[in-house]
Amino acid sequence: MNADQLYSKLRKIRFEKSENREDLRQFCEEKMPLINEILDLKEQKGAVILAHTYVPPEIIYSVADHTGDSYGLSKNARDAKSDLIVFAGVRFMGETAKILSPEKQVIVPATDGGCSLADSITGEDVRRLKKEFPDYTFACYINTTVDVKAACDVVVTSSNVYDIVARMDTDKIYFVPDRLMGLNLIADLEKRGIKKDIKLWDGTCYVHEEFDPALIESSRRMFPGLKILSHPECDPLITNESDFVGSTTQMYDYVVENGNDPTYLVFSECGLASRLEAEKGPFDMVGSCMFCKYMKSNSLENILRVLRNPEPADYIQVDDLIREDALKALNRMFAEAEKK
Ligand code: 13P
Ligand code: SF4
């Protein structure tokens, strides 16, 4: 890896780097010693580096072994042959990796690995709801703590929530914690002609709830043939008007399949547009994306620190008893998601 290779990727990204190309070239050169040390330590320690699409692109294009959405990265973590997983993402992703691979060491190098969804509900909340609604099946989004997963019957991700819930042999479901994803789920089930009683918790993603649906009408008028994509964490006013709704990887694949001709309006964190531009661009993308402060708190500097000098608090710990219950809910997801 050299500075030119990194520059050749980053220079295509409009949203996340300064337009001043000289600054960007200097940025790439300055990061090279750090990147090379990470690559050396990664090899010495037999580590694998996983990176969610939303983390800073210089991580994705210099040190990451796998990049993707929550579902794909969970499988990468589960199947990794390495003893050490450095998960550039947020804490719930590292916890999921640890649930799936308890024998591996897992570190999330974010300085703030929170998530407004995962932080909106506790295991205690779910246990209380289960007493209140004993005949409901509890489905939780993967953006939850291990304690919440352990209290639920099945985990879902943005890539499989609609299909998994549609196929569940129960018609009373409590879905936590994303209210907007839950409203999208209800709308999707209605479209499929499936009747289920779905109760929702009141969590939201602070990034996706902010997108403005008003952009849709004006953009459709200005750009004939416009393709609108959105994440299921967005408001139904957005998803109902979208040409495609799906996880970050599913949206990425949709754009790749539809090619470079259409103009795109993408309602997602900036990392998705950046990856598309760097890897498959140029594209006509209109509108603006938003940053997740938690995902963007991952950095090359912190990846180097955790590889060079990990502190005990850096390692994700999951209590064994809780882990077993959380694993059951996750394995139910894998079994359902792999059904065709
Ligand atoms: P994906 O699984 O679609 O990548 O979503 C994760 C996430 O946190 C989106 O905000
Ligand atoms: Fe959580 Fe939203 Fe950030 Fe995704 S974008 S990690 S849901 S806060």
Side-chain angles (χ1 to χ4, degrees), residues 207-248:
V207 178
H208 289 82
E209 72 173 346
E210 280 303 311
F211 286 115
D212 182 4
L215 214 58
I216 292 182
E217 210 192 312
S218 55
S219 306
R220 283 237 191 260
R221 246 185 289 117
M222 282 166 72
F223 305 101
L226 179 75
K227 298 264 186 224
I228 301 179
L229 286 79
S230 56
H231 195 274
E233 290 168 11
C234 294
D235 192 292
L237 289 172
I238 289 175
T239 51
N240 288 340
E241 298 300 324
S242 298
D243 298 283
F244 183 77
V245 181
S247 78
T248 48

Side-chain angles (χ1 to χ4, degrees), residues 267-321:
F267 292 100
S268 184
E269 209 265 0
C270 297
L272 176 58
S274 302
R275 269 195 69 201
L276 282 163
E277 290 186 312
E279 296 167 26
K280 304 286 177 184
F283 289 103
D284 281 333
M285 294 217 187
V286 296
S288 59
C289 55
M290 292 198 207
F291 291 106
C292 170
K293 64 180 174 183
Y294 305 113
M295 291 285 193
K296 297 303 191 229
S297 79
N298 287 276
S299 63
L300 288 168
E301 286 74 7
N302 223 28
I303 293 176
L304 179 59
R305 183 193 68 72
V306 301
L307 280 170
R308 208 198 253 159
N309 269 329
E311 289 168 18
D314 290 324
Y315 293 103
I316 301 274
Q317 306 287 354
V318 171
D319 179 276
D320 270 348
L321 278 180

Side-chain angles (χ1 to χ4, degrees), residues 54 90 115-117 143 205-208 233 292 294-295:
Y54 293 168
V90 289
C115 164
S116 65
L117 281 169
N143 295 37
C205 162
Y206 89 103
V207 178
H208 289 82
E233 290 168 11
C292 170
Y294 305 113
M295 291 285 193

